[in-house]
Amino acid sequence: MDKELIAQAKKFGFSDRQIANLTGKKEDEIRRFREENGIVPSFRLVDTCAAEFEAYTPYFYSTYDDSDNEARSSDRRKVMILGGGPNRIGQGIEFDYCCVHASFALKDAGFETVMVNSNPETVSTDYDTSDRLYFEPLTLEDVLNIYRSEGCWGAIAQFGGQTPLNLALGLQANGINIIGTSPQSIEIAEDRELFARMLEKLNIAQPPNGLAVNEEEALQAAGRLGYPVLVRPSFVLGGRAMQIVYSDEELKQYMREAVEASAERPVLVDKFLEDAVEVDVDAIADVGLFDDPATGGTVVIGGMLEHIEFAGVHSGDAAMVLPPHTLSGETIDTIRKHTHAMARELKVIGLMNVQYAVKDGIVYVLEVNPRASRTVPFVSKAIGIPMAKLAARVMTGTTLEKLGFTSEVIPEHVAVKESVFPFVKFRGQDILLSPEMRSTGEVMGLDHDLGTAYAKSQMAAGSALPLSGKVFISVADHHKKEVEDLGRAFCDLGFELVATSGTARVFEEAGLPVTRIHKLQEGRPNAIDLLKNNELHLVINTPSGQIPRADEIKIRTTAVYTATPIITTISSAKAAIDGIRAIRDSGYTVKAIQDYHPTLRTFP
């Protein structure tokens, strides 16, 4: 390995990590050798004004072509903001929103902002969002190069999702000032054993769990916990490869096919809490700015969002309600107390997201993320408080007290978040929701009662609830006890019930009128025929088991292609009934989001 060869490799586009792999060395060794020999990138400018007049907002890219460095120097303190990289399922525009708001807030506070992102389809990469824009990959090597070239004072890794968060420890080890919650606190939240010890210290419950690095350990953990269990690789993005398993055979298949387990990245095995209510909490804190976080500083909950679907649906896919609509005051107080305790223990500076599950009156912590979450934009719009902007100011040393935000805002209106899915683009893809995130966007429904807000959210998501017509109901055996109440509610609203033999029998025994149709394998007419003829106006179809039956998948995908609203959980069906009833009884009005915030506050 010599200077000329490394220089040539860099010109050909090889990263330090690739070179390290090829030479059997460590990435740090390659970087040190390269820098000692003066092999560093120069940054070239892309003129956003095409040389017609001086460009105040150009953007930059790196090159090893021995050209002059066109990066511009200045005397202002610079803060680097790490974006989320390519938009993809699991890490999308919500994190970009946080990055953009951070840039705006820091510019207003007198900082020079340096945005690093590699996705031209985002607002953070608009040429006029930040003072400096670098179209570079989100890797340790590239971020270090930019940080040192610009002479930044600090870097924010909290706002871009999991991608920059995974870089935080490496950046800190290389002398980068990571502002906000420390990478060590982030590691406590990410590392299962450290996290469990923290919860034990705080006397906070979590679902029984275990770790596994091979198939045998996974089976032992599942045997101890009892099925069903939720399995997932550690440090995953958007719940990828996360699955609920119900038997040894399913677990063996998962360990063989879904993941590559290792001691560095073990598989997490959690007891799955069936029919638990899941709650997302977004909070902001400045306690890490104080010498004694246990007593100093402020923790404020921005929003508590109760999931409409039971636990087991990824938080990025679940419909949510703010404020909570079924939780008791005691449960809400417990959630609030746990959130404050964990924020102080982790010495949070900025944003924090906590996911809870409530079952049989017990509040369990599922996970804690001391960073921005994908619900921050929704919460900010619902309560009229720019949480990402406040968090950016807090991360640069301003307290929440100085910013004037020290108490929780509980809105008088109801805000419903609904997810938008790309299923119509993927023929044959089943639409069932699971722990693995699949949505590509979200919408908001606002009103002063839950039913109307939920109905508005369905309109916004492109699946407006019908006010009359035929509803096809087909549910799994373990939902049969709840289907009678569903059927009665739809009958009371004037809907005609359509069902196959099993569900129809339940309705008939309850004295409800129902039209029987064939199952797909029994002949015609069946549900697909009615869907194609536009004779059905709503489909409620819950899965019969962990492995969906082929005819269920056909019904659900046909509903998508015929633009027929379809619901796959009992809890969503109940919310739909409330929505239909509210719209039929009272109609709905349209108001600007600002009209729901009687006193929009501005922050210094």
Side-chain angles (χ1 to χ4, degrees):
M1 191 171 73
D2 56 52
K3 178 179 176 180
E4 290 71 25
L5 184 62
I6 294 296
Q8 187 179 35
K10 297 307 289 184
K11 288 179 181 179
F12 284 177
F14 284 83
S15 67
D16 290 349
R17 191 172 181 180
Q18 287 172 310
I19 296 170
N21 183 56
L22 290 168
T23 56
K25 298 184 181 296
K26 293 182 179 178
E27 184 179 352
D28 286 347
E29 292 179 76
I30 302 298
R31 179 162 49 252
R32 192 160 47 248
F33 178 89
R34 178 171 57 75
E35 290 174 348
E36 287 171 355
N37 285 278
I39 305 170
V40 294
S42 56
F43 292 94
R44 304 304 305 273
L45 175 153
V46 175
D47 188 346
T48 50
C49 299
E52 288 189 45
F53 43 86
E54 184 179 358
Y56 292 101
T57 52
Y59 55 89
F60 300 89
Y61 64 95
S62 63
T63 176
Y64 281 86
D65 66 356
D66 299 326
S67 56
D68 293 334
N69 191 350
E70 296 180 341
R72 300 173 174 181
S73 60
S74 75
D75 297 329
R76 293 163 62 197
R77 271 206 303 182
K78 298 178 185 176
V79 174
M80 173 186 282
I81 301 169
L82 301 181
N87 274 3
R88 55 213 186 273
I89 293 176
Q91 186 160 307
I93 210 69
E94 302 92 345
F95 295 114
D96 202 65
Y97 168 101
C98 294
C99 292
V100 170
H101 276 238
S103 183
F104 290 164
L106 294 179
K107 280 207 287 188
D108 290 344
F111 290 90
E112 194 162 271
T113 55
V114 179
M115 184 71 67
V116 182
N117 207 354
S118 55
N119 182 6
E121 289 296 324
T122 56
V123 182
S124 67
T125 51
D126 282 0
Y127 68 91
D128 56 352
T129 294
S130 301
D131 296 297
R132 299 275 200 283
L133 169 61
Y134 284 84
F135 269 112
E136 293 289 283
L138 272 298
T139 68
L140 184 65
E141 174 186 345
D142 292 288
V143 173
L144 284 173
N145 289 336
I146 299 166
Y147 189 94
R148 290 166 180 168
S149 173
E150 283 285 352
C152 295
W153 167 73
I156 293 177
Q158 265 191 39
F159 289 151
Q162 193 69 40
T163 299
L165 216 60
N166 289 344
L167 296 175
L169 277 172
L171 291 171
Q172 187 186 56
N174 281 276
I176 304 302
N177 175 29
I178 301 293
I179 62 175
T181 306
S182 72
Q184 286 70 31
S185 290
I186 293 168
E187 186 73 5
I188 291 172
E190 294 273 9
D191 185 286
R192 179 51 59 98
E193 293 181 10
L194 296 175
F195 183 55
R197 284 206 291 270
M198 181 192 78
L199 294 183
E200 189 175 341
K201 175 184 175 182
L202 298 175
N203 195 27
I204 296 173
Q206 71 174 137
N209 59 75
L211 291 171
V213 298
N214 55 46
E215 186 179 307
E216 183 181 347
E217 289 186 9
L219 290 169
Q220 288 174 355
R224 176 170 54 84
L225 300 173
Y227 289 105
V229 293
L230 179 68
V231 286
R232 57 187 168 132
S234 51
F235 297 93
V236 294
L237 175 70
R240 284 187 298 192
M242 194 184 294
Q243 189 174 316
I244 302 164
V245 299
Y246 290 81
S247 67
D248 284 353
E249 285 306 311
E250 286 182 20
L251 184 56
K252 288 177 185 176
Q253 184 178 0
Y254 175 85
M255 293 299 293
R256 290 169 191 161
E257 298 177 7
V259 296
E260 290 183 25
S262 67
E264 293 77 29
R265 295 193 177 274
V267 171
L268 312 180
V269 185
D270 294 325
K271 175 65 179 172
F272 178 62
L273 303 173
E274 289 190 285
D275 296 336
V277 175
E278 198 164 336
V279 182
D280 260 72
V281 176
D282 283 310
I284 185 170
D286 61 10
V287 294
L289 298 174
F290 293 79
D291 293 333
D292 185 2
T295 56
T298 307
V299 181
V300 184
I301 289 178
M304 245 183 240
L305 299 103
E306 180 180 343
H307 292 211
I308 289 176
E309 292 87 1
F310 284 131
V313 174
H314 192 280
S315 61
D317 288 352
M320 301 184 191
V321 180
L322 185 159
H325 63 294
T326 68
L327 301 181
S328 68
E330 182 182 358
T331 296
I332 290 174
D333 287 342
T334 300
I335 290 173
R336 189 175 286 119
K337 183 182 75 172
H338 287 353
T339 303
H340 281 245
M342 288 186 289
R344 292 190 179 280
E345 183 66 22
L346 290 169
K347 302 180 180 63
V348 171
I349 305 172
L351 294 168
M352 180 179 83
N353 171 263
V354 190
Q355 293 172 23
Y356 294 95
V358 181
K359 184 173 173 66
D360 300 328
I362 300 174
V363 176
Y364 298 91
V365 173
L366 300 179
E367 64 176 297
V368 176
N369 296 302
R371 57 164 170 81
S373 74
R374 59 179 53 82
T375 48
V376 164
F378 178 86
V379 169
S380 298
K381 292 171 187 291
I383 66 173
I385 302 292
M387 291 185 65
K389 286 184 175 179
L390 295 185
R393 295 292 307 277
V394 165
M395 293 161 80
T396 54
T398 308
T399 65
L400 286 171
E401 188 174 2
K402 285 182 182 175
L403 293 169
F405 184 54
T406 57
S407 57
E408 190 175 336
V409 175
I410 301 175
E412 295 180 3
H413 55 271
V414 178
V416 175
K417 177 184 91 73
E418 183 56 282
S419 300
V420 178
F421 298 94
F423 298 127
V424 74
K425 306 286 186 185
F426 299 99
R427 283 203 166 271
Q429 177 69 41
D430 194 11
I431 68 168
L432 278 184
L433 303 183
S434 71
E436 188 165 351
M437 184 174 168
R438 307 171 81 186
S439 66
T440 51
E442 61 186 43
V443 295
M444 173 188 276
L446 284 173
D447 212 278
H448 291 287
D449 71 87
L450 173 59
T452 310
Y454 182 80
K456 285 182 174 181
S457 74
Q458 301 310 296
M459 295 178 203
S463 186
L465 298 171
L467 301 183
S468 62
K470 294 180 179 179
V471 53
F472 172 70
I473 302 178
S474 174
V475 298
D477 289 341
H478 58 280
H479 289 141
K480 290 287 197 290
K481 60 183 181 296
E482 300 176 87
V483 79
E484 179 185 331
D485 290 339
L486 283 183
R488 195 175 303 282
F490 277 111
C491 283
D492 291 344
L493 289 169
F495 282 82
E496 297 178 45
L497 302 181
V498 178
T500 53
S501 55
T503 307
R505 191 179 308 112
V506 176
F507 291 147
E508 289 166 350
E509 290 172 357
L512 299 174
V514 59
T515 301
R516 278 184 179 241
I517 60 172
H518 295 296
K519 293 180 179 179
L520 265 57
Q521 68 270 25
E522 292 174 348
R524 310 175 79 168
N526 54 47
I528 289 183
D529 294 325
L530 298 184
L531 283 167
K532 289 181 176 178
N533 293 336
N534 295 318
E535 294 180 49
L536 296 179
H537 303 91
L538 179 65
V539 173
I540 297 171
N541 177 233
T542 66
S544 57
Q546 179 63 13
I547 301 173
R549 293 175 182 163
D551 55 351
E552 292 177 359
I553 295 174
K554 288 178 183 176
I555 290 170
R556 289 192 285 262
T557 55
T558 304
V560 170
Y561 302 144
T562 57
T564 306
I566 177 164
I567 295 169
T568 59
T569 65
I570 293 293
S571 49
S572 296
K574 292 176 180 176
I577 289 168
D578 291 341
I580 293 168
R581 186 181 291 119
I583 297 294
R584 286 183 50 159
D585 290 350
S586 308
Y588 66 93
T589 56
V590 176
K591 291 200 299 186
I593 192 169
Q594 291 85 351
D595 294 335
Y596 286 96
H597 305 143
T599 52
L600 279 175
R601 298 154 69 188
T602 57
F603 293 88

